[in-house]
Amino acid sequence: MIVLLDASTVINLVNGGVFDAVLGIEGVQFQVGSLVRDEASSASEVLDLELAKGSLTLADEGLVPYSAFLAAKNDMGLGDGETECILIASALQCQIACDDGRARKAAIKRLGHESLVTGSLGLMQRACSHGLITTEAAQLAYQEMRKLGGYLPQIDVDFFAKEVTLLDGFGAQP
């Protein structure tokens, strides 16, 4: 299964110190597009490290013609990275992780179902279910993400303790 990461999710996970743990979720191939990589410049060292390790790959830029990108960017009214992420996910028919509310709504509309969209919290919940991070570490990461400016919803303290699998889809997560 492929999950395309948007810059907002990359930045939040890096700020929370859990990016490498999330990338360890078994059965998931995480990808970023080149525009997302550029937008997540504050996380460039971590991105470069994970790309070098092979736990993260660059998405194929050739999947989305430039004319289609421009039309979709205009239609959705999103930034370059969000637009790229949604279009690549649509081309690959895969899932997307994005923490931007407008982009999530556009992704659900474009991809056809909310189960194809999650964010950093949903990914951290999965990492907890797979034993990659503790619920306490996830809660601390969440607090750090918000402290550093992440626009994340208020969640219940038990959110990260919920058991989820890759088969559950992503729709239930904030």
Side-chain angles (χ1 to χ4, degrees), residues 81-128:
E82 292 99 353
T83 302
E84 173 194 56
C85 194
I86 292 168
L87 292 177
I88 292 173
S90 180
L92 294 174
Q93 298 183 337
C94 69
Q95 297 169 330
I96 183 176
C98 179
D99 289 340
D100 179 276
R102 283 185 43 227
R104 287 170 65 106
K105 287 178 186 171
I108 291 167
K109 183 177 178 184
R110 185 84 173 207
L111 300 175
H113 200 275
E114 68 182 21
S115 67
L116 297 174
V117 180
T118 194
S120 55
L121 301 181
L123 292 175
M124 289 179 3
Q125 188 182 52
R126 268 192 180 60
C128 288

